Amino acid sequence: MKLRIEADERGEVLVPTDVGMSLLSAFNHDPSISVEGARVLDVGCGSGLYTVAMLLAGAAHVTALDINAACTRVAVDNLARNGIDLSRVTVEVADLARLEITRPWDVVVCNPPHLPSDPAYAMEDGIDTALVGGLDGRAMYDVLLARLDELLAPRGTLLLTHSSLTDIQRTCRQLEQAGYRCRTVQVCELDIPLRRYAAHRDVLLSRLYALRSAGRAAFRGLRFEVHTIAATRSSTNEKAGES
Ligand SMILES: C[S@@+](CC[C@H](N)C(=O)[O-])C[C@H]1O[C@@H](n2cnc3c(N)ncnc32)[C@H](O)[C@@H]1O
C-alpha cells in the first residue's frame, strides 16, 4: 500500500514516526486483520496516517478523532492527496474522554502518546500532546481501556501500538480481564525518542528509570519495544472469572 502523507508546515501536528509506522507494517503483513467494509475509529488521528491507510484498505467509513484542532486541516489535506472521497470520513476535534458515542465502531485504531510528562520539559503544544501522556505516559491508554466497551461493537477489534515504556503487561491483563482476546501481532525495537527533549534528556531518562524500577516500563540501554496489539471483543464480553 503506497500512502502519501505530508508533514504539517506549521509544526503543530506530529509527523508520522517509526512507532506509528510499525502498526501499518503489522497490519500489512497480517492478512487475518481485515477492515474491508468496516466502520473505523482512528483515535488520535494526527496527520491522518491511519485514516488514509484504513480507507485505502477498504474500510467503509472512518471517524478521525483528535484533541488537537490542527490535525483536522492536516488530515483533510492528506486525505485529498490520496484521492479519498471525503464522504467516507468524519473528522472530529474532541478529547477521547469526552467523546459522545452514538454508534460503536467495528475497528478502533490508536497510537497513543507514550512518554512520561515532567514540568521541566513540558512544551504544551501539539507535538507534546502527541508524545507525552501524563506522569506515567499512560494517560491515553487508560482512557481508551476505560471506554473500550462503549467504543467497540460486539466482535470489534482494537488495533493498538503499545510502547514498552508504558507497561504492556498491564494493558493486556486489563483487556483479558474485561473479556477481550488479546494477541501480539508484531514486535519491533526502536531508539527511545529523545531528540525533541535533548535539553532535558537526564530528567526524562530519570523518569523512565523510576518507572522501570517500579516495573512499569521496560527498555534496554536506550532501546525500547513497540508491540502491535490486536484485541478482539467477544459478542458478550464476559469478564474473566465470570460464568
Ligand atoms: C502519537 S500521536 C499519533 C498520530 C497518528 N495516529 C500517527 O500514528 O502518526 C497521538 C495523537 O493523539 C492525540 N491525542 C492525545 N491525547 C488525546 C485525547 N485525549 N483525545 C484525542 N486525541 C488525543 C494527539 O494530538 C496526537 O495527534
Side-chain angles (χ1 to χ4, degrees):
M1 187 192 306
K2 204 163 160 29
L3 309 185
R4 290 191 56 211
I5 301 293
E6 286 191 15
D8 165 36
E9 283 165 8
R10 300 184 208 168
E12 296 169 342
V13 175
L14 187 74
V15 177
T17 63
D18 289 345
V19 177
M21 294 306 289
S22 69
L23 183 142
L24 287 187
S25 135
F27 175 72
N28 288 333
H29 286 97
D30 188 333
S32 72
I33 307 170
S34 170
V35 295
E36 190 69 48
R39 294 176 63 256
V40 178
L41 172 66
D42 178 1
V43 179
C45 67
S47 62
L49 175 70
Y50 297 161
T51 297
V52 170
M54 297 297 126
L55 288 164
L56 292 180
H61 185 274
V62 178
T63 302
L65 167 77
D66 208 291
I67 197 168
N68 175 2
C71 296
T72 317
R73 169 179 49 81
V74 176
V76 167
D77 285 352
N78 280 319
L79 287 159
R81 229 167 243 124
N82 288 274
I84 288 166
D85 172 1
L86 291 181
S87 69
R88 295 171 67 202
V89 188
T90 303
V91 183
E92 200 161 334
V93 179
D95 181 345
L96 173 63
R98 293 184 183 79
L99 177 69
E100 283 188 25
I101 302 164
T102 47
R103 186 178 157 202
W105 288 268
D106 306 312
V107 175
V108 172
V109 64
C110 185
N111 168 23
H114 68 127
L115 295 176
S117 63
D118 190 283
Y121 51 78
M123 299 186 200
E124 289 171 10
D125 58 12
I127 307 299
D128 239 21
T129 310
L131 294 177
V132 170
L135 283 178
D136 59 0
R138 282 191 58 94
M140 196 164 164
Y141 293 93
D142 289 340
V143 175
L144 189 60
L145 291 176
R147 299 210 67 188
L148 199 56
D149 280 359
E150 296 170 79
L151 295 170
L152 268 185
R155 298 193 184 82
T157 297
L158 166 69
L159 268 180
L160 179 68
T161 54
H162 209 312
S163 164
S164 67
L165 304 179
T166 47
D167 201 346
I168 298 174
Q169 281 74 20
R170 175 171 162 181
T171 298
C172 290
R173 205 170 45 242
Q174 284 185 10
L175 284 167
E176 276 156 15
Q177 282 169 353
Y180 289 81
R181 211 177 56 244
C182 204
R183 79 186 165 95
T184 304
V185 182
Q186 181 182 272
V187 177
C188 66
E189 203 183 85
L190 298 169
D191 290 322
I192 297 175
L194 292 169
R195 193 152 45 143
R196 174 176 163 89
Y197 300 102
H200 304 282
R201 179 192 159 97
D202 291 347
V203 182
L204 175 51
L205 283 176
S206 72
R207 288 211 51 76
L208 289 174
Y209 292 138
L211 287 166
R212 184 170 66 180
S213 299
R216 300 172 64 191
F219 55 101
R220 265 196 315 260
L222 292 179
R223 305 278 285 172
F224 75 113
E225 288 183 354
V226 179
H227 293 210
T228 302
I229 290 172
T232 305
R233 188 179 177 171
S234 68
S235 49
T236 52
N237 264 43
E238 283 173 3
K239 306 260 189 293
E242 284 180 8
S243 54

